[in-house]
């Protein structure tokens, strides 16, 4: 087939909403785009374990501790499915990790903020996992098959995470005055960073045009951000908490909330590596990777021995 025919076949597959599979021909830029997004997503899951892991030893009860351990462990699993999905595109795990450890690859801006109180664990589940699901539901239909299939299971687990976070917020907001204040303070600190998770406004998003053309993204950053606000504001009202946005207002004609503009300068600063916890997060990841070297070496030596035995 000529290069033109290959490209036509690829476009026709997308038109028919068929998934693109690892052995299919694909344009180089599609491959690069998917590797970039899937690997950033994988890194986010892995780095995302750190702010919550910080509270495992301080969870207020045994039940909360068990639930939090399970949640953080789920995030590790998500990272592993996503690294595997990226590897089907022909990039190695070592290369992917190297990109994270050298700061070449991004991970979600949200994980560069500190978790100061137990209410932050509630706010992360409710808002951060809530924003993640809003984005990930459409990714179950993303055009790259291995990514779409990984997202099905991830979405199920993220729904559970969102509910456990909201339940923590319910308990705190119905608790003592101090507990309610703690819940409000967490909402105040996590609201705007959660809106930033969806990425820059559509007009300033360099990757959206190709992502939509290739059906990698089915909805834009702004569309998803709007849906998140519409869904989450009534949840905050139910808790008796106030969303920290003086411009927030229901618009009956649009059947949607008008809301203020996130501080995009802060966002750009965080993704350039200058957020409150960027250095700490990356330092923790690089340190964990170094400490884990003996486990990787032992696993490789065991596999080699087993292979030799099987071949003998
Ligand atoms: N943070 O052209 P744009 C989770 C970058 S974790 C950092 O709009 P795109 C969880 C963007 O990469 C869930 N960087 O990009 C885990 C691009 O830079 P490059 C994480 C961001 O790709 C543990 C530039 O800004 N979810 O669930 O079309 C505990 C311009 O942006 C961010 C995913 O990763 C950001 N927030 O759209 C709890 C979902 N936003 O690469 C929860 C998959 C933008 O050109 N990813 N940038 O240098 C996506 O859907 C898309 O990649 C994004 C960005 C919507 C994030």
């Amino acid at each position: 087939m000529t290069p033109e025919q290959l490209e036509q076949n690829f476009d026709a597959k997308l038109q028919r909403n068929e998934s693109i599979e690892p052995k299919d021909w694909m344009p180089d830029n599609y491959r690069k785009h998917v590797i970039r997004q899937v690997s950033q997503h994988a890194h986010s899951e892995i780095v995302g374990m750190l702010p919550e892991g910080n509270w495992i030893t301080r969870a207020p009860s045994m039940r909360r501790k068990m639930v939090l351990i399970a949640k953080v462990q789920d995030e590790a699993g998500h990272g592993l499915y996503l690294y595997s999905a990226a590897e089907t595109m022909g990039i190695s795990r070592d290369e992917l990790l190297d990109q994270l450890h050298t700061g070449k690859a991004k991970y979600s801006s949200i994980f560069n903020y500190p978790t100061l109180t137990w209410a932050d664990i509630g706010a992360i589940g409710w808002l951060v996992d809530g924003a993640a699901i809003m984005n990930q539901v459409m990714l179950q239909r993303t055009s790259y098959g291995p990514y779409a299939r990984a997202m099905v299971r991830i979405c199920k687990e993220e729904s559970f995470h969102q509910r456990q976070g909201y339940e923590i917020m319910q308990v705190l907001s119905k608790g003592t005055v101090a507990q309610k204040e703690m819940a409000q303070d967490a909402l105040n600190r996590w609201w705007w960073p959660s809106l930033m998770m969806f990425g820059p406004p559509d007009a300033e998003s360099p990757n959206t045009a190709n992502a939509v053309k290739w059906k990698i993204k089915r909805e834009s950053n702004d569309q998803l951000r709007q849906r998140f606000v519409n869904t989450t504001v009534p949840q905050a009202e139910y808790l008796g908490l106030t969303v920290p946005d003086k411009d927030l207002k229901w618009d009956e004609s649009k059947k949607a909330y008008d809301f203020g503009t996130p501080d995009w300068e802060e966002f750009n600063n965080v993704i350039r590596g200058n957020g409150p916890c960027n250095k700490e997060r990356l330092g923790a990841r690089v340190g964990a990777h170094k400490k884990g070297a003996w486990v990787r070496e032992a696993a490789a030596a065991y596999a080699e021995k087993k292979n030799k035995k099987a071949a003998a």
Side-chain angles (χ1 to χ4, degrees):
M1 262 197 256
T2 65
E4 289 74 25
Q5 283 168 330
L6 288 168
E7 186 127 19
Q8 276 166 10
N9 267 357
F10 173 82
D11 290 340
K13 266 195 144 192
L14 289 179
Q15 279 306 316
R16 294 193 301 269
N17 273 324
E18 281 173 26
S19 61
I20 306 300
E21 295 299 331
K23 289 191 176 145
D24 291 345
W25 183 92
M26 60 188 85
D28 273 353
N29 285 341
Y30 175 87
R31 186 184 299 278
K32 279 193 197 127
H33 194 120
V34 171
I35 291 176
R36 178 192 63 86
Q37 179 168 324
V38 178
S39 63
Q40 287 181 4
H41 195 162
H43 300 325
S44 304
E45 301 282 355
I46 298 297
V47 178
M49 295 164 73
L50 297 169
E52 291 183 288
N54 184 32
W55 277 88
I56 290 175
T57 53
R58 289 175 288 163
S61 69
M62 185 54 99
R63 176 176 162 263
R64 293 289 188 203
K65 196 191 287 280
M66 287 186 328
V67 172
L68 185 58
I69 289 173
K71 178 187 191 290
V72 171
Q73 193 170 297
D74 285 350
E75 310 299 358
H78 299 173
L80 297 182
Y81 317 146
L82 290 167
Y83 282 131
S84 298
E87 283 173 303
T88 64
M89 281 294 207
I91 185 165
S92 72
R93 182 80 58 106
D94 283 345
E95 252 178 288
L96 293 167
L97 292 180
D98 197 55
Q99 289 176 356
L100 172 67
H101 298 157
T102 55
K104 200 174 148 209
K106 296 190 171 73
Y107 58 86
S108 184
S109 49
I110 194 77
F111 302 117
N112 293 305
Y113 292 85
T115 40
L116 303 179
T117 71
W118 173 250
D120 289 8
I121 301 305
I124 290 181
W126 171 36
L127 302 173
V128 175
D129 286 274
I133 301 169
M134 203 54 87
N135 175 292
Q136 289 169 353
V137 164
M138 70 159 179
L139 292 176
Q140 294 178 104
R141 292 183 299 118
T142 190
S143 56
Y144 188 55
Y147 190 24
R149 290 188 287 276
M151 290 320 302
V152 173
R153 177 156 173 191
I154 293 178
C155 279
K156 290 200 169 90
E157 292 179 350
E158 298 288 24
S159 294
F160 156 75
H161 296 169
Q162 196 269 352
R163 280 174 215 173
Q164 69 83 37
Y166 194 66
E167 197 254 342
I168 291 175
M169 295 303 272
Q170 274 179 305
V171 170
L172 291 176
S173 49
K174 288 194 179 72
T176 63
V177 172
Q179 285 172 324
K180 188 166 180 184
E181 276 172 10
M182 203 196 275
Q184 180 65 55
D185 172 60
L187 170 58
N188 293 348
R189 285 181 290 106
W190 290 93
W191 176 255
W192 292 105
S194 298
L195 294 194
M196 293 174 195
M197 280 178 76
F198 295 95
D202 292 352
E204 288 155 37
S205 159
N207 299 300
T208 292
N210 274 341
V212 170
K213 178 178 87 178
W214 287 324
K215 300 191 176 178
I216 296 168
K217 266 159 77 163
R218 302 261 176 179
E219 287 179 275
S220 74
N221 301 357
D222 286 334
Q223 282 170 326
L224 292 165
R225 194 172 3 255
Q226 179 72 58
R227 182 161 327 125
F228 175 75
V229 172
N230 291 350
T231 308
T232 312
V233 170
Q235 295 172 352
E237 282 167 2
Y238 181 79
L239 293 175
L241 300 178
T242 308
V243 172
D245 178 356
K246 60 178 176 28
D247 297 319
L248 188 71
K249 193 166 87 278
W250 177 253
D251 182 331
E252 186 54 33
S253 65
K254 289 195 269 176
K255 299 262 182 253
Y257 284 95
D258 288 332
F259 58 98
T261 308
D263 182 346
W264 292 117
E265 207 179 309
E266 175 183 319
F267 169 79
N268 286 323
N269 227 357
V270 172
I271 66 172
R272 269 191 234 112
N274 303 319
C277 299
N278 293 60
K279 289 186 182 61
E280 189 185 327
R281 301 290 184 239
L282 210 52
R285 275 314 317 151
V286 171
H289 190 71
K290 278 190 188 145
K291 274 194 207 144
W294 71 270
V295 180
R296 293 189 297 279
E297 281 160 20
Y302 177 74
E304 199 184 320
K305 203 172 157 196
K306 221 173 142 194
N307 286 344
K308 269 191 193 151
K309 234 183 177 177

